[in-house]
Amino acid sequence: MSRWPPLDRPLVSVRHLGAVLALPPERLQSLAGKAEDLYDPFMLPQLKNGRWKERPIDNPDEELKAVQKRIKERLLDTLVFPPFMCGGVRKGSTQANARPHVRQPEVVALDIKNFFGHVSNLQVAKVWHEHFNASNEVAWLLTRLTTYRGHLPQGAPTSTALANLVILPVVKGLALLCRVRGVNLTIYVDDITVSGRGARQAIPIVANALSAKGFKLARNKVKIMPANARQEVTGHTVNRKLSNGRELLARARQETLRAIGPEGTERDLQRARGLLAHICGTSASQGAWLKRRIEHAVGPGPRAQATGT
């Protein structure tokens, strides 16, 4: 049930939507009318599989992003997703996504190609209709506020939940098929993982199900990991127990050394501590060395307190 009382009936008017979001209807309509001009795309360097790559970010401006956060909190976060969907949902995490695949004879990692780019504004409008009983006027207003150039924007707070809702019918069917075959399935945004004996036989099943909905697997990113090789799922090793993978630890070491170096900023330190908290959430022993390095350099609190500046 919604935490926000105005959601106890269908979203039939912009006035009602404004009441739910606690925002003036005129502001929502004005933003929706110019939303296409409120993005500043850039390329973000990202370390993945040990290599630096550039990831395109559409980057909504602060005003539009603030409204998207309100839409996420007061609409999308009120929905309950199945436990096998672990990305962009309440209480979801990379750890929750990896945990079902611990100590499995075979793990298969799959990636949906250009996931957000293949979620169209028509599919998003359908989500607002089906899950919130929105009228045409409200559904298309929300769609204009949450899409960019006809697709979901990278970097918008609403994109992951909307993508989850678009693909939900597909993964529900896949989860049932996997359960019948004795195979585990989880999905973390665009990462699909299956595990169990004969997990590789699920690859064409997943590919066909996605294709029917207009999505494709990234064929060059399919990874089949038997028990005698390193098995990694969303940054975690799952062979014998859940632990942090090499790539995540390498990134955390790099961020820590940058943060405690002579040119490190408070923002660098916050990023390093965020990664450290994530690592310790999986394995306190793996995060111990990084924690000692940070505390030795700047103390347990913010840099300004530790250095007296």
Side-chain angles (χ1 to χ4, degrees):
M1 183 176 292
S2 169
R3 294 173 294 160
W4 312 104
L7 253 188
D8 60 358
R9 63 186 191 276
L11 289 171
V12 296
S13 69
V14 178
R15 183 178 178 182
H16 180 200
L17 176 65
V20 172
L21 300 179
L23 294 169
E26 298 79 13
R27 182 185 176 196
L28 295 174
Q29 290 171 319
S30 174
L31 273 177
K34 59 183 180 181
E36 289 288 317
D37 299 321
L38 300 179
Y39 288 85
D40 183 21
F42 66 91
M43 301 300 290
L44 177 70
Q46 185 179 45
L47 184 65
K48 192 163 187 179
N49 297 325
R51 299 178 64 183
W52 285 98
K53 297 181 179 180
E54 289 195 328
R55 175 188 176 194
I57 302 295
D58 294 312
N59 191 35
D61 75 2
E62 290 306 312
E63 185 181 13
L64 180 57
K65 186 176 290 186
V67 172
Q68 290 171 339
K69 286 180 180 177
R70 192 71 63 90
I71 292 170
K72 176 182 181 295
E73 292 168 359
R74 299 203 173 195
L75 292 176
L76 297 169
D77 283 354
T78 65
L79 300 178
V80 178
F81 288 88
F84 54 80
M85 298 191 82
C86 304
V89 301
R90 281 181 292 164
K91 298 183 179 180
S93 65
T94 57
Q95 292 97 329
N97 185 69
R99 196 166 287 115
H101 308 293
V102 173
R103 297 185 69 87
Q104 293 297 320
E106 190 169 70
V107 177
V108 175
L110 308 168
D111 185 278
I112 303 174
K113 187 176 182 179
N114 189 19
F115 188 27
F116 286 1
H118 281 94
V119 176
S120 71
N121 55 358
L122 292 174
Q123 291 172 308
V124 172
K126 186 177 179 181
V127 163
W128 296 121
H129 280 302
E130 292 184 350
H131 292 275
F132 296 94
N133 295 313
S135 65
N136 282 335
E137 180 185 22
V138 173
W140 280 104
L141 176 66
L142 285 166
T143 299
R144 289 196 297 274
L145 289 169
T146 55
T147 59
Y148 175 56
R149 294 182 177 177
H151 62 81
L152 286 180
Q154 292 273 5
T158 46
S159 289
T160 300
L162 287 169
N164 283 343
L165 290 169
V166 167
I167 205 169
L168 183 58
V170 175
V171 293
K172 275 186 173 179
L174 285 174
L176 180 59
L177 288 172
C178 287
R179 194 177 307 121
V180 169
R181 290 171 168 264
V183 175
N184 305 302
L185 176 140
T186 61
I187 178 168
Y188 191 90
V189 193
D190 56 355
D191 292 319
I192 298 176
T193 308
V194 291
S195 67
R197 195 169 303 281
R200 70 184 70 198
Q201 274 72 54
I203 296 174
I205 297 173
V206 174
N208 291 337
L210 290 173
S211 178
K213 195 69 174 179
F215 298 100
K216 293 182 179 180
L217 288 180
R219 293 291 181 179
N220 61 326
K221 295 183 180 180
V222 175
K223 292 176 66 177
I224 299 174
M225 297 167 278
N228 60 358
R230 180 177 294 275
Q231 296 173 323
E232 288 198 7
V233 177
T234 48
H236 302 282
T237 303
V238 295
N239 290 73
R240 293 187 176 85
K241 62 180 182 179
L242 190 66
S243 60
N244 297 288
R246 288 178 175 175
E247 181 182 332
L248 182 60
L249 291 171
R251 179 185 167 199
R253 282 193 291 270
Q254 185 179 50
E255 295 285 357
T256 297
L257 293 173
R258 179 188 295 121
I260 64 178
E263 298 182 2
T265 65
E266 182 62 31
R267 187 175 180 180
D268 292 332
L269 188 59
Q270 289 174 352
R271 187 184 298 113
R273 282 192 166 129
L275 274 171
L276 175 61
H278 179 77
I279 286 170
C280 289
T282 302
S283 171
S285 61
Q286 286 184 308
W289 180 84
L290 297 173
K291 185 177 181 180
R292 287 196 300 271
R293 289 296 300 267
I294 290 176
E295 292 186 353
H296 177 73
V298 298
R303 178 184 293 273
Q305 291 180 1
T307 58
T309 58

